[in-house]
Amino acid sequence: MSVLYENPHDGNFILSEDDEGRLSRDNIAIASGAGVLLPGTVLGKISASGKFVPSPLAATDGSEVAAAILVGRVDAANADAHAVGVMRHAEVNRFGLLYDHTVDDDAKKSAKWDQLRAAGIVVR
């Protein structure tokens, strides 16, 4: 018997947010070259461009600070992509979050959760 895998659904990681998501979410740009990103990807903002990428453990462009979580799948492999991000006033399920490949253990994930908490996103 074959095993089937299901990709994350849009917003599946959200436990609660402000009424109707109007305060919690913003339209954002995902930087070209970020690749195909799935819902729940933890994002950092590049200071110079204002665009988002998966938040790495260490960088010097501002993206090392987790600042948002991607709501829906986007393809930014070859061009910037428009997306929606949870930016503030939300509670999310830690088991629904995805990370940059450099965030590969519980201590590093916990550091990202602290950064999200500073932005007003509580990780449970």
Side-chain angles (χ1 to χ4, degrees), residues 22-43:
R22 295 175 200 212
L23 183 61
S24 297
R25 303 178 188 193
D26 281 336
N27 292 317
I28 59 174
I30 305 296
S32 177
V36 176
L37 304 179
L38 297 175
T41 300
V42 175
L43 303 171

Side-chain angles (χ1 to χ4, degrees), residues 4-118:
L4 301 176
Y5 295 95
E6 188 171 357
N7 284 326
H9 296 274
D10 291 359
N12 71 322
F13 58 91
I14 299 171
L15 295 173
S16 67
E17 60 184 330
D18 76 283
D19 187 29
E20 300 177 13
R22 295 175 200 212
L23 183 61
S24 297
R25 303 178 188 193
D26 281 336
N27 292 317
I28 59 174
I30 305 296
S32 177
V36 176
L37 304 179
L38 297 175
T41 300
V42 175
L43 303 171
K45 186 175 184 179
I46 300 171
S47 300
S49 68
K51 296 176 185 173
F52 289 80
V53 295
S55 182
L57 180 64
T60 58
D61 62 2
S63 67
E64 69 277 7
V65 178
I69 304 172
L70 185 65
V71 172
R73 179 188 181 279
V74 296
D75 183 351
N78 300 312
D80 290 351
H82 298 286
V84 174
V86 172
M87 310 294 286
R88 67 192 80 72
H89 300 294
E91 182 180 26
V92 299
N93 183 339
R94 69 177 183 245
F95 299 111
L97 300 181
L98 303 171
Y99 305 89
D100 181 79
H101 68 89
T102 60
V103 182
D104 55 5
D105 65 34
D106 289 341
K108 295 172 185 173
K109 290 176 184 177
S110 181
K112 292 297 175 189
W113 301 343
D114 289 342
Q115 294 166 359
L116 289 170
R117 188 175 298 111

